[in-house]
């Protein structure tokens, strides 16, 4: 699970605040807790980075947000072990025709995710499409109430541009781009303890490029929240007639 960026006096207080928030938010369904533990065990066994999963509080937030949005169809670009997809599935399962479409490469993590969807009883709700997202996006039809981007960071601009050009976002729909403030580096490299990690610096540069690109789009309105690892929310502007 990725570390939450703290806005509090020190990391100890920040961690306690997150724990307090989790405890005082509606608990996730048991299936998500089971999948979280199974995902962590799987990542340890396969030597995969578990921090690529959203954390527990973010899963609570996403489920809550999707219910507020009354989302019926959700597109997820980047699925990893399927933890976030299960949260989306929990939110849309009561909607007639509720569906979560997941795009990711075929690999051990996606195989694990697909098995988890079936095991959780969501095989008829969650649809996994394997392959390069820049190609699989073109195969989609209809519109989505939420589009969640959490894949390779150098692809964010291309994914967003393509989904918008294909009109895949429903009227009033919401786009969420995860890790937009990756480890705080887009905002501050000088005082950041992660500044000596070349890989993190490269990823942060991609997120900075994406954030600036979004901010320059005249057809979008957006808000970048310093929550979790940074979430950039976007929606199309409502045109006045």
């Amino acid at each position: 699970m990725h570390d939450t960026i703290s806005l509090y006096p020190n990391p100890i207080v920040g961690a306690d605040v997150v724990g307090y928030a989790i405890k005082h938010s509606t608990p996730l369904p048991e299936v998500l807790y089971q999948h979280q533990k199974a995902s962590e065990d799987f990542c340890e066994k396969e030597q995969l980075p578990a921090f690529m999963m959203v954390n527990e509080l973010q899963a609570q937030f996403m489920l809550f947000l999707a219910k507020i949005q009354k989302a019926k169809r959700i597109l997820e670009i980047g699925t990893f072990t399927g933890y976030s997809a299960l949260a989306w599935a929990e939110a849309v399962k009561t909607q007639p025709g509720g569906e979560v479409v997941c795009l990711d490469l075929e690999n051990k993590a996606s195989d694990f995710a697909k098995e988890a969807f079936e095991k959780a009883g969501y095989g008829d709700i969650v649809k996994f499409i394997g392959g390069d997202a820049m190609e699989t996006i073109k195969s989609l039809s209809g519109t989505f109430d939420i589009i969640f981007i959490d894949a390779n960071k150098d692809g964010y601009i291309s994914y967003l541009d393509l989904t918008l050009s294909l009109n895949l976002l429903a009227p009033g729909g919401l786009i969420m781009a995860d890790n937009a403030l990756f480890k705080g580096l887009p905002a501050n490299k000088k005082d950041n303890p992660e500044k000596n990690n070349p890989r993190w610096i490269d990823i942060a540069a991609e997120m900075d490029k994406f954030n600036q690109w979004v901010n320059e789009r005249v057809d979008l309105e957006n808000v970048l929240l310093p929550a979790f690892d940074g979430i950039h929310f976007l929606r199309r502007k409502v045109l006045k007639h």
Side-chain angles (χ1 to χ4, degrees):
M1 310 284 275
H2 64 66
D3 294 332
T4 303
I5 295 175
S6 174
L7 299 179
Y8 296 93
N10 57 57
I12 295 175
V13 175
D16 286 345
V17 166
V18 172
Y20 183 89
I22 291 172
K23 183 178 179 180
H24 291 81
S25 299
T26 300
L28 293 168
E30 183 59 30
V31 66
L32 266 84
Y33 290 118
Q34 294 173 359
H35 182 67
Q36 179 188 40
K37 179 61 168 61
S39 292
E40 291 169 348
D41 292 343
F42 168 78
C43 288
E44 182 177 358
K45 177 183 176 183
E46 298 295 337
Q47 296 185 319
L48 295 172
F51 70 81
M52 289 175 61
M53 297 164 54
V54 302
N55 67 25
E56 184 176 337
L57 183 59
Q58 187 170 349
Q60 290 172 301
F61 169 73
M62 290 161 63
L63 199 163
F64 187 78
L65 179 69
K67 287 184 176 181
I68 292 176
Q69 191 78 358
K70 297 181 180 178
K72 181 176 180 179
R73 296 188 78 216
I74 297 176
L75 173 63
E76 180 176 86
I77 304 173
T79 295
F80 195 45
T81 64
Y83 183 54
S84 54
L86 283 179
W88 294 131
E90 279 288 331
V92 306
K93 69 180 184 181
T94 58
Q95 294 282 353
E99 181 182 45
V100 180
V101 177
C102 299
L103 309 182
D104 210 328
L105 298 174
E106 294 279 7
N107 50 39
K108 289 183 179 180
S110 62
D111 288 342
F112 179 86
K114 287 183 283 186
E115 291 178 9
F117 301 150
E118 294 293 336
K119 184 178 179 180
Y122 290 136
D124 58 339
I125 295 177
V126 183
K127 178 183 179 182
F128 180 88
I129 304 176
D132 182 348
M134 284 302 294
E135 295 302 319
T136 54
I137 287 173
K138 298 173 187 176
S139 71
L140 302 177
S141 59
T143 59
F144 296 88
D145 304 297
I146 294 176
I147 297 176
F148 181 53
I149 305 176
D150 188 17
N152 54 304
K153 309 313 172 189
D154 59 352
Y156 272 37
I157 291 176
S158 297
Y159 299 144
L160 177 56
D161 197 35
L162 184 57
T163 56
L164 291 174
S165 65
L166 293 175
N167 292 313
L168 293 177
L169 185 65
L174 187 65
I175 294 173
M176 294 174 57
D178 203 16
N179 307 114
L181 292 170
F182 186 77
K183 298 185 180 297
L185 287 166
N188 185 327
K189 298 181 185 67
K190 179 181 177 181
D191 303 309
N192 197 309
E194 304 288 354
K195 65 183 179 181
N196 295 321
N197 187 320
R199 174 169 167 72
W200 291 168
I201 292 295
D202 289 345
I203 291 174
E206 294 296 338
M207 296 316 304
D208 183 47
K209 187 188 304 181
F210 172 77
N211 293 333
Q212 292 188 47
W213 182 83
V214 166
N215 220 35
E216 293 169 0
R217 292 275 305 221
V218 297
D219 59 329
L220 299 174
E221 53 187 3
N222 60 299
V223 60
L224 176 54
L225 289 185
F228 312 111
D229 199 24
I231 299 182
H232 211 148
F233 290 94
L234 310 89
R235 65 192 295 270
R236 284 192 185 274
K237 288 182 178 178
V238 177
L239 300 177
K240 296 182 179 180
H241 298 284

